[in-house]
Amino acid sequence: MKDFANLIKTLDSTNKTNVKVQALADYFGKASDKDKVWTIAILSHRRPPRPVNTTLLREWAAELSNIPLWLFEESYHIVGDLAETIALVIPAGEESTDKSLTEFLEEMIALKPKPDNEKKNYLFKNWQRLNYYERFVFTKLITGGFRIGVSQKLMTRALAKATEIDEDVLAYKLMGNWDPNSISFQELILEENESDYLSKPYPFYLAYAVEDEVSGLGDPNDWSVEHKWDGIRCQVIIRNDALFVWSRGEELVTDKYPEFQEFVGVVPNGTVLDGELLPYPNGEIGTFNDLQTRIGRKTVSKNLLLKTPVVLKAYDLLEWEGNDIRQKTFIERRTILEKLISTTLNHKVAERSRSNIPILLSERMQFNSWPEVAEERNRAREKRSEGLMLKRLNSAYQVGRKKGDWWKWKVDPLTIDAVLTYAMRGHGRRSNLFTDYTFALWQENEKGGKELVTFAKAYSGLTDKEFREVDTWIKKNTLERFGPVRSVTPHHVFEIAFEGIAFSKRHKSGVATRFPRILRWRKDKKIEEANNLEDLKALIPTPNTRGKESTSKETPVKGS
């Protein structure tokens, strides 16, 4: 544990990538194999389940620190991180421990089913045996919220340096549903395991956002254009008459989308499809809000399957006839994919209803000029997309986010002018500032007047100077306090940007916005000039503006 805590301390104290890579490589070079596996698991978000809830952690930490709970809570809201607060307030004991990271994690797993008094005794004993940073790391592992700014790509780079195994090979090895409790470092990293191949997905290829003029990409005839669909990126794998569905977050979600079992026996074995999982109610693409009714469900009822079915919008093929074809050009892979959908599928489902096979081909377009591409981008919201994907025709399917061959050109966000009504302290370096804001719009009330109705929260978009300015104003204009939240005098107007919008019964406003953030502080506007809730609702696409989703078997090529 001491070595792991020192590693985290080093990683947490620098923004330099090379320093982080070297620190990780040094750690992997000297840690035990078991600790290596657990470190890889922790840094790739495979943490063990949380054994103690945060309410009990706060109460017990306050008790051991001999301070009242209210003072601990106030300290927590100032520090902004529970593990850091606990590490700061609990006095270190005279004892120490040499237990390994693996021993601690195995104890935490065994702790989960035990009664509260045993959990309390375990925490008291270990909190007092660890120094400040060890106690911080220990508590982070207990809470399950271990995030330290190390991407899996960075960790893979360090592993490659320590083991001399190719980064792309390691990225593939770390994909899948492996369990740090039962797998060894030899099996996970050093060996080739045939049995793991059946369900394992490929590392996803990710695009960069277009930042400069799109014309800088050269001849538009060298690019394939398709819509950037607003769903869940996934890979659908069919091998040995078994189906596996993986999300981009490396979560195996096969059971959550039983519709895809229709692929078995229709799509040939040895096929891996890359695409977007989309809601498809009433035979047309729905909103991400529709899809949220399916996300996170442990069981999917028949009514939900009927109300919100899903489809795979396929746009790439990574494996065909059991062969990895990622190094083929994009246009070669697409040609095989199009043949698969237009020939193989339709031939095999001749005696079955086409609607039983939940797959659509993402339309691939080509244009002679960038203004034509821009016109198609302007139609994105009609088609329930976020913008366009630009893919170089001769590009291979790479690993991770790489510049050059795949670009996303999203539509400009929707915007609305809203009033700041509530504020809460931020986290990390902003934990001493009020930077998490709630915004409201006007709505006519029963008495014929107007009232402000909250509709969105946002915590990004302002400069550090602006955040400090707003924070000073909030502290002088607080109306009420609700724990860490303050209601403030309605006075400031902000332009709020968001990617999507839909009706929602879960929100007081009746509307849910997607990815809200602050676009600018409208110091030029009075609160009376802020938008109404009806203005926001008017931005929601109605059925006749969506554009029906084509189920054509062909892939149109425009502008050629």
Side-chain angles (χ1 to χ4, degrees), residues 216-396:
L217 295 179
D219 187 347
N221 287 294
D222 293 337
W223 296 85
S224 175
V225 179
E226 60 189 279
H227 280 273
K228 184 182 185 301
W229 304 107
D230 187 16
I232 297 174
R233 178 87 177 272
C234 69
Q235 287 180 31
V236 175
I237 298 167
I238 301 95
R239 298 185 183 122
N240 290 4
D241 292 327
L243 176 117
F244 307 92
V245 182
W246 289 92
S247 71
R248 192 188 118 184
E250 295 185 33
E251 182 184 3
L252 186 61
V253 294
T254 313
D255 293 342
K256 296 180 181 179
Y257 304 101
E259 296 99 322
F260 292 163
Q261 291 297 332
E262 292 289 337
F263 293 161
V264 178
V266 176
V267 177
N269 283 316
T271 300
V272 178
L273 299 157
D274 185 15
E276 203 81 8
L277 192 155
L278 296 172
Y280 206 62
N282 304 314
E284 64 180 12
I285 294 175
T287 67
F288 193 83
N289 198 52
D290 293 326
L291 190 57
Q292 284 183 314
T293 64
R294 296 285 300 269
I295 297 173
R297 293 291 184 97
K298 292 183 179 179
T299 58
V300 183
S301 66
K302 289 183 179 180
N303 286 338
L304 188 56
L305 286 171
L306 290 172
K307 182 180 178 182
T308 313
V310 297
V311 295
L312 177 70
K313 193 77 160 172
Y315 41 70
D316 214 328
L317 189 65
L318 313 186
E319 183 179 316
W320 178 241
E321 296 179 337
N323 297 312
D324 179 353
I325 63 169
R326 291 177 296 161
Q327 293 309 307
K328 287 183 178 291
T329 65
F330 170 75
I331 194 63
E332 288 174 321
R333 301 193 307 275
R334 275 292 304 220
T335 300
I336 301 171
L337 174 64
E338 290 164 15
K339 183 178 180 181
L340 166 66
I341 293 178
S342 66
T343 305
T344 307
L345 283 182
N346 290 331
H347 174 72
K348 291 194 175 184
V349 300
E351 298 180 1
R352 300 166 66 176
S353 169
R354 169 68 179 157
S355 62
N356 285 338
I357 310 301
I359 189 169
L360 297 169
L361 183 64
S362 182
E363 180 184 13
R364 186 181 68 79
M365 301 166 283
Q366 282 186 260
F367 297 89
N368 291 319
S369 70
W370 291 113
E372 289 179 295
V373 180
E375 288 180 18
E376 183 63 28
R377 175 174 171 258
N378 292 336
R379 290 190 281 271
R381 286 199 172 93
E382 295 177 18
K383 297 188 175 183
R384 290 292 194 203
S385 87
E386 299 179 298
L388 299 179
M389 290 293 301
L390 312 175
K391 300 177 182 179
R392 199 182 297 273
L393 294 174
N394 64 356
S395 63

Side-chain angles (χ1 to χ4, degrees), residues 102 118-119 274 408 447:
T102 300
E118 290 190 38
K119 294 179 180 180
D274 185 15
K408 53 186 177 183
K447 297 180 181 180

Side-chain angles (χ1 to χ4, degrees), residues 54-174:
T54 56
T55 300
L56 290 175
L57 284 175
R58 297 199 301 269
E59 291 175 0
W60 294 341
E63 180 183 337
L64 184 58
S65 306
N66 198 27
I67 61 175
L69 183 58
W70 68 265
L71 180 56
F72 179 89
E73 296 288 0
E74 286 294 315
S75 302
Y76 172 30
H77 294 310
I78 293 295
V79 174
D81 182 276
L82 180 57
E84 185 177 358
T85 307
I86 290 173
L88 287 166
V89 301
I90 291 177
E94 296 180 358
E95 298 182 65
S96 63
T97 178
D98 291 322
K99 280 191 294 188
S100 68
L101 172 65
T102 300
E103 287 175 302
F104 271 111
L105 288 164
E106 288 174 347
E107 289 174 355
M108 291 177 191
I109 293 169
L111 188 66
K112 185 174 176 61
K114 292 183 179 179
D116 287 351
N117 64 315
E118 290 190 38
K119 294 179 180 180
K120 180 179 177 181
N121 291 336
Y122 176 78
L123 289 172
F124 275 29
K125 179 180 177 181
N126 285 289
W127 274 336
Q128 293 180 300
R129 285 184 171 183
L130 301 169
N131 65 30
Y132 163 74
Y133 223 91
E134 292 166 354
R135 190 160 57 245
F136 167 71
V137 169
F138 170 82
T139 309
K140 277 286 188 185
L141 294 172
I142 288 284
T143 63
F146 210 104
R147 295 182 181 178
I148 55 167
V150 174
S151 67
Q152 184 156 326
K153 182 178 179 181
L154 190 149
M155 180 189 64
T156 304
R157 182 175 160 190
L159 265 176
K161 189 171 186 177
T163 62
E164 299 184 350
I165 298 174
D166 184 84
E167 282 185 51
D168 288 353
V169 173
L170 285 170
Y172 184 73
K173 284 175 173 286
L174 295 179

Side-chain angles (χ1 to χ4, degrees), residues 21 32 34 56 149 204 231 277 287 351 386 425 435 461 492 544:
V21 169
S32 70
K34 285 187 176 182
L56 290 175
F204 286 87
L277 192 155
T287 67
E351 298 180 1
E386 299 179 298
R425 283 193 177 93
T435 60
H492 290 294
N544 61 351

Side-chain angles (χ1 to χ4, degrees), residues 419-472:
V419 180
L420 173 65
T421 53
Y422 294 91
M424 188 170 72
R425 283 193 177 93
H427 298 278
R429 66 185 183 90
R430 292 178 177 168
S431 59
N432 63 333
L433 299 174
F434 285 92
T435 60
D436 290 13
Y437 306 142
T438 299
F439 296 95
L441 299 170
W442 292 108
Q443 182 181 47
E444 188 172 326
N445 59 30
E446 296 177 354
K447 297 180 181 180
K450 285 190 173 183
E451 63 182 2
L452 288 166
V453 178
T454 59
F455 79 101
K457 295 182 179 181
Y459 51 85
S460 65
L462 297 182
T463 65
D464 287 346
K465 181 181 177 181
E466 288 173 324
F467 273 127
R468 288 193 295 271
E469 188 178 345
V470 177
D471 174 77
T472 300

